Amino acid sequence: MYPAQIGYYKPDSLGDALDFLEGKDAKVLAGGMSIIPMLKLRILRPKYLVDIGDLKELSFIKEGEVTAIGATTRHRDLASHKIPGLELIQETASKVGDVQVRNMGTVGGSLCNADPSADYPAVFTALEARMVLRSRSGVREVDANEFFKGPFSTSLKQDEVLEQIKVRSLKGYYQTYKKIVRRAGDYALVGLALAIKLDSGIVKDVRISFTGVDEKPYRAREAEKALMDSKLDESKISEASNLASRGANPPSDSRGSSSYRREVMRRLLKNTLEGILNAS
Amino acid sequence: MSYSGKSVKRLYDDKFVTGRSTYVDDLKVNALYAAFVRSTVPHGRFKVSKEDALKVKGVIAVYTGSELNQIIKEGIGPWTTYIDPRPWKIPKWKFAEHETKYNGEPIAMVIATDKYSARDGADAVNVDYETMDAVIDMERASKNEILVHKELGTNIGYEGNFNAGDVEKALANADRRVEVEIGNNRLIPSPMEPRGIISQYDGINLTIWYSTQIPHFARSEFSRIFGIPESRIRVIMPDVGGGFGSKAHFIPEELAVIASSIKLGRPVRWTATRTEEMMATNSRHNVFKGEIGFKNDGTLVAIKGTLDVELGAYLTYTEGLQPTIIPPMIPGPYKVRDLAIKSRAIYTNTIPITMYRGASRPEATFIIERIMSTVADELKMDDVEVRLRNLVKEEQMPYVNPFGLKYDTGDYPTLLKEGVKVMEYNKMKEWAAEERRKGKRVGVGLAFYLEICGFGPYEFAETRVTEDGSVIVSIGGTPHGQGTETAIAQLVADELQIPIEKIKVVWGDSDAVPSGTGTYGSRTLAIAGSAAVASSRQALEKMRKVAARSMKADVEEIEYRNGEFVHKKEGKKVTWDAVAREAYSGREPGVTASVTLEGDVTFPYGVHMAVVEVDDYGIAKVKEYRAYDDIGRVINPALAEGQVHGGGTQAVGQALYELAIINENGQLAVTYADYFVPTAVEAPKFKSYFAEKYHPSAYLTKSKGVGEASLIVGPAAIVRALEDATGKRLNKTPVLPEELIK
Amino acid sequence: MLVEPGQKAKIKVKVNGVLHEVEVEPRKLLVDFLREDLNLTGSKVGCDTSTCGACTVLVDGKSVKSCTMLAVQADGKEIVTIEGLSSDSKLSPIQQAFKDNFALQCGFCTAGMIVQTHYILSERKEITEEEARDLIHGNICRCTGYQNIINAIMDASRRMRQ
């Protein structure tokens, strides 16, 4: 439970970090909440760590029609900051880990770690965020849906750094992140990110994304389709909830079995939609 | 001046709140660090190659079992103070040589200059395995198709029959017979401080700093195992960060640390990582299957069945208690006298099992309380009514139970009735029913317990008056968080009628305290406290003699009160402090008195209640936990309450969250992150009451014991509340969300 | 700063008001640096999964788990450990509240609990019991059942407002 020998590079700028990363056996360290436990377990043994945790240029929240969030923005900063039209992000950040983890951990670190039970991946998938990836050879944007490849696996290339996340405002949407845990501070048994736009009871847009139920964030497209342009009522909700739970492939582990998770998914979506129906 | 009965603040808290506490890992000793290579198979032969590890920077040595076992002369054996080894089949347990019996077993040791290098070295040790058939599941192991220890010829380590009365006849005459299956899954005690040890051998004397509950037993076991006289072994227990029974046994890693320090002639230390701690102590896992008989009026008349207790791969120092203490405690506080219980202990290729807070009494209580609730459900009777019908009555006390245990004092029915009132059980039941009508899944449950505790065979205490009149009390008990030292200081201050500030309580150093047994089994305040009262009484008598001498009077003429020795006739006075100074004049009788106080078991009891809420996802929460106990005389209510709170939260863990999953490869498949020890969010709100009209033990302190009460009865109360909330029938712990989801 | 594997990093870090300029291996965890290199053994190591919080310290005023931070990450930062919360043997109101409320038993989690409480109460003056439970859940105690810890936090909060 002690990391293996390692080299360390602390760049003065993102540019320096990208220069260093090129062609090296190096891993990016931001807050360390994901990578340090893996270094301690010696699951990861890179030659170098590139510590971007203190780079001011990567820690920001720029609000607008499209909000840009710097990759090393701490959970704490997101949890204490309401972004109009993206209130979901604050709600999510305040549910990550515990206080100490939120003080140190970064949004980008969590996204790049791509834990299949983590909070943000499902949320940013639902928000259809754009991940801005930068390397020495340029910048590219990847849709969140494309970014997550599998457990602890993303489309980030070795010499790339997640620079920022861009999210279009969902003003006028009901949005929420619900997280079911076995114990406070744990990863989600099942987590649900939901954004829905209603007009006179008719669903105009809806995004449903789960965490903890598959190898990567699970976007419940079938359920969304069922809801779209329909009147949100008990029977629609029931149909959508069934569709959502049927489409996933949840794991069995210490938090619960696959069939149990499926049932939790169904109820979580049902209860959340019913809550919205009752409030609207 | 009276301290006893008051919530006196803990005497030694300053160091803990300021960061000056000293646990084993905090000690500055110029020691090398150990790390262990662990088996990755549940059963197999293995070969260790050291070459690569020896090349690692900082590595001093790599040892295998064959080298270590030249110094480890004898194996780990059962605690013969309490366990009769004769009916047992016991495999030899030293450091693994050539064959490993469980996944996680240490199979090689690396010594290095620091812990990072030691881990580097351990990673560089190469091991070749030739796997053998393993048996992970207890039930399968009982069939003896695959043997954990070939030389034993069986996996059944112990088999005993606990028969009383005529169970067949009682069953035949019963109005109703019902089959039951009741079990507890595997747990991990998880004290906050992982175990740790430092061993230093100077060629003659062996000094061991050890996170333990039993320093004196450790000394005698190390003496036996290493063939060194006890006089040359000093075991020091620094601050210990919790034990819960998990620090009262020895593991091969610790023997290896001692052996390597002897071999190298240099101090060696090892602190378990949490992951290692989780493999060092697994607990519980037992199943009772049988049949009960009862009358239509709710009287339980017969219990018949088989109790299977898992041992894991070896017989630990403490686990032998379980199969012999659970059965005789199954009747508990109830009158049932016809029982037949076959008790078996079974080896498997898994992490060895040890005792955990309550050890055997939680199991027995869970079994009998589930039985009582089963009777209630079958007859649609109230839980309280069923119990009242079956409880032993006060006029039957002292009551000898069907297996010969003598319950000392108590009035069980009255306590139950009082408890129901004080805890507002009926009101809460009504409230829960009302909530359920509104669609919430809320439930209230209670359970009764009778605990056997106080365990002898003896405890040591010494009272020493120093030259300035302050007092050092040495106790053989070994508090490690309970705060018993403060309660004992209260008792001694009252006995000697001096301010508590003048008293220092010391323990846990085998050189400073000549003898002792330790802290476990809710025994310390009763037995060590009584020993301290007795030695203080003798010390006071000696002080009176010195006072008489200094006043040139007969001892009978001297009276002592409130820090002054008074000549009854002449009215002359000498202060306690002056007499203390006088006592150091070099003449008899001195001012030190020690006693080795014999002790016997005592039986506290009580009723606990849980209020639970289960959400739509099957996630349950214990909202409230209330307790009403007769623990004899309460010396420090706040300390006693603390035990109820802490044990109660562990009960919440056992009932709902904690499960040491062992996978098909025999590997512990949970980390500390998903073993789910409760946090402040899962912990209930507590209300703890102690019976004002208590029933004393035979000890001088009149106290009984409270350290384990909540974990003994809590799981049964919580499971009952879950049944109330959900209408389901539940029979084992933990109860997982998927069982509770509608 | 570039440190090759096997080399040590030069860091400057202020701990409990004292500036240290030291060399550390990049792999060294902050908690081990504090305990072994600076002899500040008040912060404890209770787990290896960033779960228990016994190692909680303040880094630039924010509570973090020092078992999940490298010492090199602390370069240029200011750290306060349990040893830095009281001066001249006078207990802080939080330390006193823990003592007065029987909020500890074995004491192993206590340093982390107190540092975290210090952080919680530096962030908010008023606090409810439910909030206290939520904000302290990154610190595990196996002995007390938490009720007395929550009482201590509430008590400390009252004392600090007076």
Side-chain angles (χ1 to χ4, degrees), chain B residues 356-374:
Chain B
Y356 173 35
R357 198 175 196 165
S360 305
R361 292 150 292 160
E363 289 86 348
T365 302
F366 194 65
I367 291 166
I368 189 63
E369 287 303 297
R370 294 307 310 145
I371 288 174
M372 279 297 149
S373 296
T374 302

Side-chain angles (χ1 to χ4, degrees), chain B residues 419-448:
Chain B
V420 163
K421 207 179 292 167
V422 171
M423 300 188 304
E424 300 185 295
Y425 172 73
N426 290 321
K427 193 176 140 197
M428 294 303 285
K429 282 287 268 194
E430 281 163 30
W431 165 81
E434 182 58 37
E435 290 292 300
R436 284 198 297 276
R437 279 191 284 276
K438 290 186 220 153
K440 279 197 169 181
R441 295 208 292 166
V442 174
V444 175
L446 62 66
F448 197 93

Side-chain angles (χ1 to χ4, degrees), chain B residues 356-544:
Chain B
Y356 173 35
R357 198 175 196 165
S360 305
R361 292 150 292 160
E363 289 86 348
T365 302
F366 194 65
I367 291 166
I368 189 63
E369 287 303 297
R370 294 307 310 145
I371 288 174
M372 279 297 149
S373 296
T374 302
V375 174
D377 288 345
E378 291 291 327
L379 298 173
K380 299 197 166 41
M381 276 176 81
D382 176 66
D383 270 333
V384 176
E385 202 187 314
V386 164
R387 285 167 176 79
L388 284 174
R389 189 162 294 281
N390 286 284
L391 284 171
V392 169
K393 296 208 160 53
E394 194 185 17
E395 57 266 26
Q396 293 173 276
M397 305 299 281
Y399 173 82
V400 180
N401 96 350
F403 298 111
L405 293 172
K406 191 174 166 189
Y407 303 168
D408 50 355
T409 59
D411 182 351
Y412 310 153
T414 301
L415 179 124
L416 176 55
K417 285 183 226 160
E418 284 172 6
V420 163
K421 207 179 292 167
V422 171
M423 300 188 304
E424 300 185 295
Y425 172 73
N426 290 321
K427 193 176 140 197
M428 294 303 285
K429 282 287 268 194
E430 281 163 30
W431 165 81
E434 182 58 37
E435 290 292 300
R436 284 198 297 276
R437 279 191 284 276
K438 290 186 220 153
K440 279 197 169 181
R441 295 208 292 166
V442 174
V444 175
L446 62 66
F448 197 93
Y449 76 97
L450 174 73
E451 176 183 357
I452 178 171
C453 71
F455 305 101
Y458 68 89
E459 195 50 277
F460 173 88
E462 179 193 80
T463 302
R464 199 184 325 163
V465 183
T466 65
E467 210 165 344
D468 67 358
S470 62
V471 172
I472 298 172
V473 181
S474 312
I475 53 168
T478 53
H480 42 280
Q482 300 87 343
T484 328
E485 65 278 5
T486 298
I488 289 175
Q490 290 172 245
L491 290 165
V492 171
D494 284 346
E495 191 65 35
L496 300 180
Q497 302 172 50
I498 57 174
I500 199 167
E501 292 74 23
K502 289 181 93 111
I503 295 162
K504 175 180 167 183
V505 182
V506 302
W507 68 94
D509 178 341
S510 68
D511 271 11
V513 184
S515 160
T517 59
T519 284
Y520 47 87
S522 303
R523 68 196 293 278
T524 310
L525 190 55
I527 192 162
S530 296
V533 169
S535 61
S536 298
R537 210 166 269 179
Q538 290 182 18
L540 176 57
E541 207 39 47
K542 286 185 176 177
M543 287 284 280
R544 211 154 72 98

Side-chain angles (χ1 to χ4, degrees), chain B residues 208 210 212 215 218-219 222 233-237 508-511:
Chain B
I208 292 162
Y210 188 25
T212 180
R219 179 177 66 176
F222 294 155
I233 301 176
R234 180 179 179 191
V235 177
I236 303 166
M237 166 200 185
D509 178 341
S510 68
D511 271 11

Side-chain angles (χ1 to χ4, degrees), chain A:
Chain A
M1 296 297 157
Y2 313 107
Q5 210 166 65
I6 200 164
Y8 176 83
Y9 177 61
K10 188 165 184 176
D12 292 326
S13 67
L14 178 59
D16 286 354
L18 297 176
D19 282 344
F20 187 85
L21 274 168
E22 216 170 27
K24 283 211 191 60
D25 174 16
K27 277 272 175 193
V28 173
L29 164 72
M33 295 300 100
S34 308
I35 197 173
I36 291 176
M38 286 201 261
L39 293 171
K40 283 162 77 174
L41 286 167
R42 302 193 174 191
I43 293 169
L44 283 181
R45 299 185 67 158
K47 192 170 174 195
Y48 296 100
L49 288 176
V50 180
D51 183 359
I52 63 166
D54 286 341
L55 288 181
K56 294 268 183 308
E57 62 188 291
L58 289 181
S59 177
F60 57 81
I61 304 167
K62 288 178 194 152
E63 290 169 24
E65 188 45 38
V66 173
T67 291
I69 300 168
T72 64
T73 306
R74 254 80 184 164
H75 308 315
R76 162 173 43 85
D77 295 327
L78 289 171
S80 60
H81 187 107
K82 185 167 275 177
I83 307 169
L86 293 171
E87 294 82 4
L88 173 61
I89 294 175
Q90 182 187 31
E91 187 190 359
T92 308
S94 66
K95 290 178 180 172
V96 173
D98 52 46
V99 172
Q100 291 97 317
V101 166
R102 296 197 287 270
N103 277 337
M104 196 67 193
T106 67
V107 60
S110 172
L111 289 168
C112 293
N113 186 50
D115 188 305
S117 296
D119 305 305
Y120 292 116
V123 169
F124 285 103
T125 300
L127 294 174
E128 298 182 346
R130 304 283 289 169
M131 320 295 273
V132 181
L133 313 181
R134 191 177 285 279
S135 70
R136 201 61 284 177
S137 46
V139 62
R140 63 183 180 119
E141 283 190 23
V142 179
D143 195 84
N145 198 41
E146 301 291 308
F147 182 73
F148 301 103
K149 293 288 178 205
F152 306 99
S153 160
T154 67
S155 61
L156 197 71
K157 295 200 184 92
Q158 197 284 321
D159 59 354
E160 278 179 331
V161 170
L162 172 64
E163 182 191 73
Q164 56 181 299
I165 305 109
K166 289 182 178 170
V167 200
R168 193 164 286 282
S169 166
L170 294 183
K171 213 164 180 183
Y173 283 64
Y174 287 98
Q175 42 186 290
T176 190
Y177 176 65
K178 296 271 189 277
K179 182 179 183 180
I180 306 298
V181 292
R182 288 287 313 277
R183 179 189 66 182
D186 189 30
Y187 279 90
L189 170 79
V190 174
L192 164 68
L194 178 83
I196 186 166
K197 190 176 187 180
L198 294 173
D199 189 354
S200 324
I202 306 295
V203 178
K204 289 293 167 194
D205 190 19
V206 61
R207 289 94 173 273
I208 301 167
S209 179
F210 286 93
T211 190
V213 303
D214 215 323
E215 297 199 323
K216 56 179 190 168
Y218 163 66
R219 183 86 184 260
R221 301 271 185 196
E222 294 295 311
E224 291 176 3
K225 242 184 260 166
L227 290 168
M228 273 299 268
D229 301 318
S230 303
K231 188 168 172 23
L232 189 67
D233 58 21
E234 293 288 339
S235 85
K236 264 292 152 196
I237 288 173
S238 170
E239 182 194 342
S241 307
N242 287 331
L243 283 170
S245 73
R246 244 180 275 153
N249 183 27
S252 286
D253 61 19
S254 58
R255 297 187 187 102
S257 72
S258 182
S259 59
Y260 168 64
R261 273 193 165 92
R262 213 184 277 280
E263 180 59 15
V264 172
M265 286 175 73
R266 189 186 69 77
R267 291 178 181 215
L268 186 56
L269 182 56
K270 182 170 171 283
N271 291 343
T272 307
L273 286 171
E274 281 176 0
I276 290 165
L277 180 63
N278 293 337
S280 66

Side-chain angles (χ1 to χ4, degrees), chain B residues 116 123 158 238 321 374 510 553 571 607 720 723:
Chain B
Y116 286 67
D123 282 357
Y158 167 89
L321 293 165
T374 302
S510 68
V607 57
R720 191 56 172 161
E723 290 185 332

Side-chain angles (χ1 to χ4, degrees), chain B residues 32 84 185 242 254 422 506 537 612 615:
Chain B
L32 300 169
D84 177 1
N185 275 309
E254 293 159 352
V422 171
V506 302
R537 210 166 269 179
V612 303
D615 72 11

